[in-house]
Amino acid sequence: MKKYTPKYINTLQAGRLEEKIKQAEALMSSCTLCPRQCRVNRFEDEKGYCGTGKKAVVASYAPHFGEEPPLVGQNGSGTIFFSHCNLKCVFCQNADISIEGQGTEIDESQLAHIMLELQRSDCHNINFVTPTHVVPQILKALLIAANQGLRIPLVYNSSAYESLETLRILKNIIDIYMPDFKFMDEDASLQYCHAADYPEKAMAALMEMQDQAGELL
């Protein structure tokens, strides 16, 4: 079987990763990374609905064996659990992370080190869990990690409450999208995650993810 080359490698070699970082960071000064459109200046460490300021917060990272079998393989999926969330469902099983924000604030070099450490543990992929609100930080860390030898695929594991503008920045970066679609009912979306527009935004996001990643293999 031909060895798979992650999408971000081609993007890096073509010199386009730096431009994607600039595009993502442009959404942070008046934050519109997700459909909440909080418009806070996160470079000044202002915090909107998600609760994250300038730096990403990581709750934990490790080879994970509880994900879908194709991601886990023999050595596990290299999951990085980001604290805080742009959706904050009232029934979240990880409320201590997503709502209470337990975790450690880290910079891009530390995040890059985590990615490389997971690769050294023979994980089959890097699995970003709840990454929507930290896309710029992920891209900056990816530039560092890829230049230092990161060569495994990236998984974007989200609630599907996404901005199309942010997703389009991720084109030719993310190899596998794993959206956890929640509701098709606006009333339920409003009641359980204070986002009546969730069905509309999530369906548009799913179509964009499908367009980028293609059919499930």
Side-chain angles (χ1 to χ4, degrees):
M1 180 181 291
K2 183 180 178 181
K3 186 176 181 180
Y4 179 76
T5 301
K7 292 181 178 181
Y8 61 86
I9 297 299
N10 294 328
T11 300
L12 173 69
Q13 292 173 347
R16 293 194 297 267
L17 184 49
E18 292 91 340
E19 180 58 32
K20 288 181 177 289
I21 291 171
K22 291 178 183 177
Q23 291 171 355
E25 286 192 318
L27 304 181
M28 273 187 64
S29 60
S30 177
C31 194
T32 55
L33 281 166
C34 88
R36 297 284 183 189
Q37 304 284 290
C38 295
R39 297 191 179 278
V40 297
N41 186 348
R42 290 178 55 192
F43 287 111
E44 296 297 326
D45 217 32
E46 294 177 3
K47 294 167 183 159
Y49 189 89
C50 73
T52 299
K54 184 177 181 179
K55 292 184 177 181
V57 182
V58 170
S60 65
Y61 65 94
H64 189 31
F65 294 87
E67 294 285 14
E68 283 72 5
L71 296 181
V72 170
Q74 293 182 334
N75 303 319
S77 177
T79 50
I80 302 174
F81 285 88
F82 291 102
S83 303
H84 302 293
C85 179
N86 69 322
L87 199 56
K88 296 185 179 179
C89 303
V90 297
F91 51 78
C92 184
Q93 64 180 351
N94 295 319
D96 56 335
I97 298 172
S98 64
I99 297 174
E100 296 173 19
Q102 294 182 14
T104 302
E105 197 174 73
I106 62 172
D107 62 25
E108 289 80 14
S109 63
Q110 291 170 305
L111 182 54
H113 177 79
I114 288 172
M115 295 183 201
L116 292 165
E117 184 176 335
L118 291 169
Q119 179 173 263
R120 286 192 294 270
S121 297
D122 292 328
C123 292
H124 302 291
N125 45 71
I126 301 296
N127 187 343
F128 300 120
V129 183
T130 321
T132 307
H133 53 295
V134 288
V135 164
Q137 294 90 334
I138 287 171
L139 291 176
K140 289 180 74 175
L142 179 62
L143 178 61
I144 298 169
N147 278 321
Q148 293 182 9
L150 187 72
R151 292 296 183 272
I152 55 178
L154 303 182
V155 180
Y156 192 87
N157 187 342
S158 83
S159 68
Y161 193 48
E162 304 287 343
S163 157
L164 290 181
E165 188 174 11
T166 301
L167 283 180
R168 286 167 181 160
I169 292 171
L170 293 172
K171 185 174 182 180
N172 295 320
I173 295 291
I174 300 298
D175 300 282
I176 300 167
Y177 284 102
M178 193 163 65
D180 183 7
F181 186 80
K182 310 280 184 189
F183 314 101
M184 202 57 204
D185 180 81
E186 291 181 3
D187 292 336
S189 303
L190 179 62
Q191 180 178 356
Y192 297 119
C193 58
H194 307 291
D197 63 346
Y198 177 85
E200 172 194 353
K201 299 299 184 184
M203 285 301 296
L206 290 173
M207 292 177 68
E208 177 64 25
M209 292 174 183
Q210 166 77 7
D211 184 61
Q212 290 187 25
E215 294 293 329
L216 178 68
L217 299 176

